[in-house]
Amino acid sequence: MPHSELASPTSAGDRVPRAEDLLLKAQHASRTTAARLRHQVVVDHLSLAMSIAHRYDQRGLERQDLEQVALLGLVQAVRRYRPGQGSGFLAFAVPTITGELKRHFRDHGWAVRPPRHLQEQSLAVRSCTERLAQELGRDPTRQEIADELGLSVGDVTRAEGADGQYVARSMDAPVDRDSGVSLGDTLGEVCRDLDRVEDFETLRPLLRTLKARERLIVRLRFVDNLTQRQIGQRIGVSQMQVSRLLTDILLRLRRAMDVDQDIGAAS
């Protein structure tokens, strides 16, 4: 076959019969000629592969990677297709390229990897949404998508939620365009007193066992932050007596807490 025939440009309408003709001839040609014929079919359909690849833009993977995967799918379609079988080369190539892209996303495209069935549903819902939007001239409802795919509305909702897990957002990214607040700024901090909650809850019932005067001394010292001299003036005793009373009270509370912790560990 003349080289000029292989290199001649083809319009979109010429690609289908040309692909059929070239691939049919490749079946009966020598290895070198068959490779050249198949290569021409790949060249003729590069724009198709790129168009399918670009549908998956903005999902966390580089466009160049997507184009390479789509090209691989196109090459596989050319190698596997058998002229005269099925509904034509395009009907075989499009799902082959799309399937290769979906497998690539399933294996490499998730920042947070959901279960495999949810990944597959997410890709199906996105594809169905785009197709129905073109057919209906508006965004389809979840019920319409569910009916089209044979899923429940809940399945569609979960799949849409998983679709947002392709890209991990930076903690420095702004919450919205008009806000100077970053995502990290919205996260809470660990309370410094959190570790003391267990001690407080253990101490609470033990304080009830103290006499009224002892509870008053504890409150004045540790809640009102009075000095021992001020406490002595308040209850009518010397600072030395307040010191001895506090030492005795704290010793008894500490022993009672140790006993409770030992009991809890044993149980």
Side-chain angles (χ1 to χ4, degrees), residues 14-26:
D14 294 335
R15 289 174 187 164
V16 175
R18 178 179 169 89
E20 293 285 333
D21 180 56
L22 292 179
L23 293 177
L24 181 61
K25 291 177 179 177

Side-chain angles (χ1 to χ4, degrees), residues 213-214 217-218 231 235 237-252:
R213 187 190 189 200
E214 293 174 333
I217 293 173
V218 170
I231 295 172
I235 66 176
V237 299
S238 68
Q239 178 181 349
M240 185 69 68
Q241 288 175 302
V242 172
S243 176
R244 286 198 296 266
L245 288 169
L246 274 172
T247 299
D248 179 64
I249 293 169
L250 296 178
L251 180 60
R252 283 187 284 126

Side-chain angles (χ1 to χ4, degrees), residues 18-49:
R18 178 179 169 89
E20 293 285 333
D21 180 56
L22 292 179
L23 293 177
L24 181 61
K25 291 177 179 177
Q27 286 184 323
H28 306 288
S30 65
R31 179 177 299 180
T32 301
T33 302
R36 190 164 62 249
L37 292 167
R38 293 190 180 99
H39 174 73
Q40 186 60 47
V41 176
V42 171
V43 171
D44 288 348
H45 293 82
L46 281 178
S47 60
L48 170 68

Side-chain angles (χ1 to χ4, degrees), residues 8-108:
S8 60
T10 59
S11 66
D14 294 335
R15 289 174 187 164
V16 175
R18 178 179 169 89
E20 293 285 333
D21 180 56
L22 292 179
L23 293 177
L24 181 61
K25 291 177 179 177
Q27 286 184 323
H28 306 288
S30 65
R31 179 177 299 180
T32 301
T33 302
R36 190 164 62 249
L37 292 167
R38 293 190 180 99
H39 174 73
Q40 186 60 47
V41 176
V42 171
V43 171
D44 288 348
H45 293 82
L46 281 178
S47 60
L48 170 68
M50 297 304 101
S51 175
I52 297 174
H54 296 166
R55 296 177 190 173
Y56 294 85
D57 269 349
Q58 308 300 323
R59 302 196 198 179
L61 295 179
E62 296 292 335
R63 170 177 280 205
Q64 185 176 4
D65 292 341
L66 297 177
E67 291 175 347
Q68 290 177 354
V69 173
L71 181 58
L72 174 62
L74 174 59
V75 171
Q76 291 176 343
V78 170
R79 289 176 177 175
R80 296 172 186 171
Y81 180 67
R82 295 294 177 266
Q85 299 180 8
S87 302
F89 178 71
L90 282 182
F92 182 80
V94 171
T96 301
I97 297 169
T98 302
E100 196 65 32
L101 284 163
K102 288 182 176 180
R103 279 190 292 273
H104 185 73
F105 264 96
R106 186 185 64 206
D107 296 336
H108 304 287

